Amino acid sequence: MNKLIIIKYGELTTKKGNIKFFIKTLKKNIDCALEGLDYKIEYDNGRMFIFSNDLDEIEKRLRYIFGIHEIIIGYEYDSIDIEDLKKNLIELIKNKELDTFKVETKRSYKGYPITSMEVSRILGGVVLANAHGAKVDVHNPKTVIDVEIRFNKAYIYFGGESGLHGYPLGVQGKGLLMLSGGIDSPVSGYLAMKRGIRIECIYFESPPHTSDAAKEKVKSLVRILSKYSGYIKLHVINFTEIQEEIYKNISHEYLITIMRRMMYRISERIAHKNNCKIIINGESIGQVASQTLTSMSVINETIRMPVIRPVACLDKLEIIDIAKKIDTYETSILPYEDCCTIFVPDHPVINPELNKCVEYEKLIDWPLLIDKAISNEEVIKITKENENFKDLL
Ligand code: ATP
Ligand code: MG
């Protein structure tokens, strides 16, 4: 008998054409996450099996991997003979408290002489005869006893824990996440990763108007997100000169609109340079003046690359719920100023006009300023290991 982890795949099974690529990518991601541990992986189109003496640690690390539907601790047997199955099940339930239960059998080996229903019935009888107080309940059992027969091996397990679902990271290529220190953008990054998109991040800072602490906070958020991907590249863009030029020369009600148009332009250039196919951000419809549909379209007009807004249609409370689940919330609410907040005008325009933006932008030499900002970018590679961010909390 081998104790092992069985992985049920997430939505992969619905993508028939890509299944091999998806499973290979998942396997690669799991190998990266399990680095340093001693283990062996076997897999087919339906399941992945992990053997190791360190299953607890492996289970912990699998909780951060997209593309997994369920993580199961189970038992593997070399015999599929029904008499052996009975004996093995009795051994497993010996020390188990069983109340209501049902046995569910799956045979991917169709040559097996007994039907699944019949195996369940026989093994159910064995449980009733050997577990004191156990009762069958096929509708709402406390324990489901799963039995799988796959060619020359049998597996028994008692349910599993839910994985992160989604697609394996990387199956969709890369996107560039506009990451501020707020609540929304880290959640957007997480949701994009869940669709299989590997991310790089871009952060606009405006020293001395924004502090080092604000930048550290963003690095901490990247570090938390990197738990789901191993590492993430962060591009830090010094936005001070652009912001000051806008502030000095352009009508203040258009400050935010123009500033965001510049952010989009820079993001698209950085995305192209780093093979990112899309931009991801944390805009949420109606949340602030720059997130009305008119604002969003006037801002979006500057670039051709698709912009994905995973939280666009979520309520703030729904976004906060996810932020808490993925552990970014406590860091996001630390009170360090964002470069958007320091230059916020009293009355930002809610329905900006495109032709006005174009006229205002003629007042500054933005192509030059953007070139300069991009050539001065700082690139930081962040992994989940360097956890010194705790000092900040
Ligand atoms: P968040 O909670 O993510 O900060 P927000 O509700 O504060 O979002 P805005 O400040 O209008 O909204 O920003 C909208 C989006 O623009 C952010 O979610 C983020 O994707 C991007 N963004 C804003 N400020 C920055 C910045 N300094 N660096 C990088 N991206 C930014
Ligand atoms: Mg913000």
Side-chain angles (χ1 to χ4, degrees), residues 177-186 188 202-205 256 259-260 263-264 280-284 287-288 290-291 316 338-341:
L177 171 67
M178 296 171 71
L179 183 68
S180 64
I183 296 169
D184 305 328
S185 41
S188 289
I202 184 166
Y203 167 60
F204 297 90
E205 62 168 356
I256 302 265
M259 202 181 80
R260 295 192 62 74
M263 280 188 180
Y264 266 51
I280 304 146
N281 69 33
E283 287 170 349
S284 182
Q287 220 182 68
V288 287
S290 61
Q291 293 171 18
K316 193 74 189 187
D338 183 23
C339 74
C340 294
T341 45

Side-chain angles (χ1 to χ4, degrees), residues 97-237:
E97 290 275 321
L98 281 178
D99 187 347
T100 52
F101 77 96
K102 76 168 170 183
V103 179
E104 248 177 32
T105 307
K106 277 200 196 75
R107 300 173 311 159
S108 57
Y109 171 43
K110 298 295 176 204
Y112 197 65
I114 315 173
T115 64
S116 300
M117 289 274 279
E118 189 61 9
V119 174
S120 295
R121 201 190 55 76
I122 296 171
L123 295 180
V126 164
V127 175
L128 285 174
N130 288 275
H132 185 70
K135 279 193 296 283
V136 175
D137 180 348
V138 288
H139 301 297
N140 196 15
K142 278 212 177 118
T143 309
V144 177
I145 302 175
D146 286 287
V147 177
E148 293 193 16
I149 297 164
R150 307 169 74 82
F151 296 98
N152 53 352
K153 301 231 197 278
Y155 300 87
I156 302 178
Y157 53 91
F158 303 87
E161 71 171 299
S162 178
L164 277 189
H165 301 256
Y167 297 141
L169 195 73
V171 294
Q172 288 291 353
K174 247 186 332 182
L176 181 67
L177 171 67
M178 296 171 71
L179 183 68
S180 64
I183 296 169
D184 305 328
S185 41
V187 170
S188 289
Y190 172 87
L191 293 174
M193 286 197 281
K194 189 171 178 179
R195 288 344 289 160
I197 303 168
R198 194 171 270 292
I199 59 167
E200 296 196 8
C201 299
I202 184 166
Y203 167 60
F204 297 90
E205 62 168 356
S206 296
H209 312 295
T210 59
S211 62
D212 265 357
K215 179 173 172 182
E216 284 305 311
K217 174 181 168 185
V218 169
K219 280 161 70 180
S220 306
L221 289 168
V222 177
R223 207 164 283 128
I224 296 169
L225 291 178
S226 76
K227 286 197 286 192
Y228 302 91
S229 82
Y231 71 89
I232 291 176
K233 232 162 103 188
L234 170 67
H235 304 264
V236 181
I237 301 290

